[in-house]
Amino acid sequence: MDHLFAVAGRSATPISPTGLAAEGLLERQHLQEWVIDNPQILGESVLVITAEFDRWADTDGVPARDRLDVLGLDATGRLVVVELKRGTADRDVHLQAITYAALVSRFDLDTLAQAHRDSMISRGQAVELDVCRQRLLDHVDGDWSPELLQRPRQVIIAAGFPKQVTHTVVWLSEMNLDIDLVQVGVWKVEGHIVVGFTKVYPTPEVEEFTLAPARVEAKAAAQKLEERSRARNAAHILVGAGLLPDGARLRLTPRHGAPQSIREAILVWVGEDGSRATAVWNNNPAKPLTWEADGKPYTPTGLANHIFKSVTGRTPDGIQGTTWWDVDTGKVPDTVDPDEWAALAGASLADLARRLNGARKNWTSLHTLLGAIPAGRWTTYGDVATVIDSHAVPVGTHLASCDQCPNAWRVLTAAGRVSAGFRWADPTRTDTPADVLAAEGVEFAGTAADPEARLPLEEIRRLLGG
């Protein structure tokens, strides 16, 4: 961030930068803790495994004083090696990061699980080793891949970078080493310290052409990484899009990671107790499923692994649990249009995440659009969702619970009918949306609104300024 201003109406007053050292802020006690508490600084969907790691000292000859600042794991299954400097980075800071990346590239799942457990215990959180191991498996969107563990991504965070570092990092990136440079800036605003983190390399434009594999021997691993990088963890995508309302029911269909014989054994086991086949969704990206069989929260993969082990007695390897859970369209949530809900039949959580990757809950745009729909016209949940880059189900859920949505009665199902989940913000109202639309001039044939009064999709786009 080059410039920061304090604004008051039309007035914009520049704010002078300061520094971590000038404000008495330290590298380990402050900068490191900010990164651990806010891992989004390191990229999308990063789980912090450990900090100040030095357990290789006895085996690899690295002095104990050389500590890896932060080690993370992203949702693609790659390790993230973090080097922190509260001032301008040293000229050889990238060599430190590369050394640590080389060391951790030999780590396996058990080593990482132990490091994660030790770190959590040191921070006052007692946890079992198996829980840490499962947490790492659950965090990866897809199979656990030793190949990707061997290709850590490096993040160097500093107040500034000398040209020797930036030039070398650009060249290393072209040689297929992934190194991010993140600049930390500090300002004092009305007595408060403001800190910002800016990724200065690679920029999105540079990433498109400098991070492609340059060596034939890296092709397979790079291809796997590219495939995984197309989407975030499925649970995060679904929660972010708001597709499934709390309480939505899911049905078990074992798929990925289980051979046919084990799938059949699981279905027999499920048939002995029907509650084993059902989970309930809640919009918590950490553990969004509650299993009916025991009432406990799980990740989709964590529950699939639990079921696999319960049936076989073995620990599974590389199950993608989001493929195991399908939306149960037989029970329609109160706030959802039945037709839109029926359209989700046969879709697993993984399928839905692929469809919705990039969708979001943009309710500001929704409110703006609803306010622009003229009297005497109507639109559908699906068309509104298309324009604001969402999905018909979360749009309907929001309209059923929001008391700030203007003209909500002008949004109907694709068949032109009032959704069964429609609710007035004022519970004392006794008229129906059809009554209001009719008063505004919309004609009805039975319960269906006149299709001639439906706004075309392009006209809806124009209403939002698109």
Side-chain angles (χ1 to χ4, degrees):
M1 187 180 298
D2 295 327
H3 305 284
L4 189 69
F5 297 88
V7 298
R10 298 178 60 183
S11 173
T13 304
I15 297 174
S16 299
T18 179
L20 294 174
E23 300 302 330
L25 297 169
L26 304 176
E27 187 174 291
R28 287 170 60 184
Q29 289 89 330
H30 299 111
L31 179 57
Q32 181 173 289
E33 292 301 310
W34 301 338
V35 171
I36 292 172
D37 290 342
N38 300 278
Q40 64 269 28
I41 294 169
L42 307 176
E44 195 171 17
S45 297
V46 174
L47 169 69
V48 173
I49 296 176
T50 186
E52 299 184 42
F53 184 85
D54 63 355
R55 296 294 297 275
W56 47 57
D58 293 335
T59 58
D60 292 292
V62 179
R65 59 184 175 83
D66 286 346
R67 298 170 182 260
L68 169 58
D69 291 331
V70 178
L71 179 63
L73 176 71
D74 69 21
T76 70
R78 296 183 82 187
L79 293 173
V80 182
V81 173
V82 186
E83 181 69 18
L84 303 172
K85 301 294 180 186
R86 71 168 179 168
T88 300
D90 302 329
R91 295 174 59 178
D92 61 352
V93 66
H94 51 287
L95 299 180
Q96 288 180 276
I98 291 171
T99 298
Y100 290 132
L103 291 169
V104 303
S105 71
R106 300 293 181 253
F107 286 3
D108 58 17
L109 177 58
D110 291 336
T111 303
L112 294 169
Q114 185 63 58
H116 189 42
R117 179 175 184 267
D118 292 344
S119 178
M120 295 187 72
I121 290 175
S122 71
R123 300 176 75 85
Q125 302 179 52
V127 62
E128 296 297 325
L129 183 60
D130 284 347
V131 173
C132 293
R133 186 180 190 276
Q134 190 60 54
R135 188 180 186 196
L136 300 180
L137 289 171
D138 291 343
H139 185 71
V140 174
D141 188 13
D143 296 343
W144 184 268
S145 171
E147 291 175 329
L148 293 183
L149 285 183
Q150 294 173 9
R151 298 169 52 80
R153 179 168 62 88
Q154 300 156 64
V155 181
I156 305 174
I157 301 176
F161 300 94
K163 289 184 178 180
Q164 292 90 337
V165 172
T166 56
H167 290 175
T168 304
V169 165
V170 170
W171 181 77
L172 289 171
S173 294
E174 292 170 348
M175 295 299 102
N176 205 39
L177 285 179
D178 290 356
I179 305 179
D180 296 352
L181 301 180
V182 177
Q183 187 170 15
V184 56
V186 185
W187 296 264
K188 183 174 285 187
V189 183
E190 297 181 352
H192 298 283
I193 301 297
V194 177
V195 178
F197 294 85
T198 304
K199 185 177 179 181
V200 296
Y201 184 85
T203 61
E205 294 81 7
V206 172
E207 282 183 299
E208 291 181 4
F209 63 84
T210 62
L211 297 186
R215 294 171 296 186
V216 174
E217 61 268 24
K219 184 176 181 180
Q223 183 176 357
K224 184 180 292 186
L225 173 63
E226 182 180 356
E227 291 171 353
R228 289 193 184 178
S229 297
R230 291 174 184 168
R232 294 166 49 200
N233 178 277
H236 286 80
I237 294 173
L238 294 173
V239 171
L243 175 66
L244 302 177
D246 288 341
R249 294 170 66 84
L250 305 171
R251 299 292 294 178
L252 173 68
T253 304
R255 296 186 178 98
H256 183 274
Q260 185 61 35
S261 60
I262 293 179
R263 296 181 193 183
E264 293 172 357
I266 290 174
L267 294 177
V268 170
W269 180 76
V270 165
E272 297 171 357
D273 181 350
S275 66
R276 295 170 175 169
T278 303
V280 177
W281 176 267
N282 64 88
N283 283 287
N284 171 8
K287 291 186 177 181
L289 302 190
T290 300
W291 195 28
E292 280 205 346
D294 63 10
K296 295 180 180 179
Y298 293 88
T299 65
T301 297
L303 182 49
N305 285 338
H306 177 74
I307 291 171
F308 184 103
K309 189 172 183 179
S310 297
V311 173
T312 67
R314 307 198 313 264
T315 299
D317 182 20
I319 282 179
Q320 186 180 355
T322 50
T323 67
W324 284 42
W325 297 99
D326 295 352
V327 177
D328 182 356
T329 54
K331 182 174 176 58
V332 183
D334 293 340
T335 59
V336 173
D337 173 20
D339 293 337
E340 296 290 354
W341 192 248
L344 303 182
S348 70
L349 297 180
D351 295 333
L352 297 176
R354 281 191 289 271
R355 295 183 200 173
L356 290 169
N357 191 23
R360 61 190 186 275
K361 293 183 288 189
N362 190 345
W363 302 145
T364 300
S365 295
L366 173 63
H367 294 176
T368 301
L369 176 58
L370 293 177
I373 298 174
R377 306 299 297 273
W378 62 275
T379 185
T380 69
Y381 296 99
D383 284 353
V384 167
T386 297
V387 172
I388 67 169
D389 194 19
S390 183
H391 186 278
V393 170
V395 168
T397 300
H398 179 74
L399 262 63
S401 59
C402 176
D403 60 3
Q404 302 297 320
C405 286
N407 304 327
W409 60 87
R410 295 175 185 161
V411 183
L412 304 175
T413 69
R417 295 182 171 85
V418 177
S419 171
F422 183 88
R423 302 287 186 275
W424 290 114
D426 178 2
T428 64
R429 289 189 66 162
T430 57
D431 54 348
T432 68
D435 295 333
V436 179
L437 287 169
E440 294 178 344
V442 177
E443 296 182 355
F444 279 78
T447 59
D450 180 6
E452 294 297 321
R454 177 177 174 177
L455 285 168
L457 185 59
E458 288 307 311
E459 189 169 343
I460 301 172
R461 294 187 193 278
R462 286 194 292 272
L463 291 178
L464 193 58

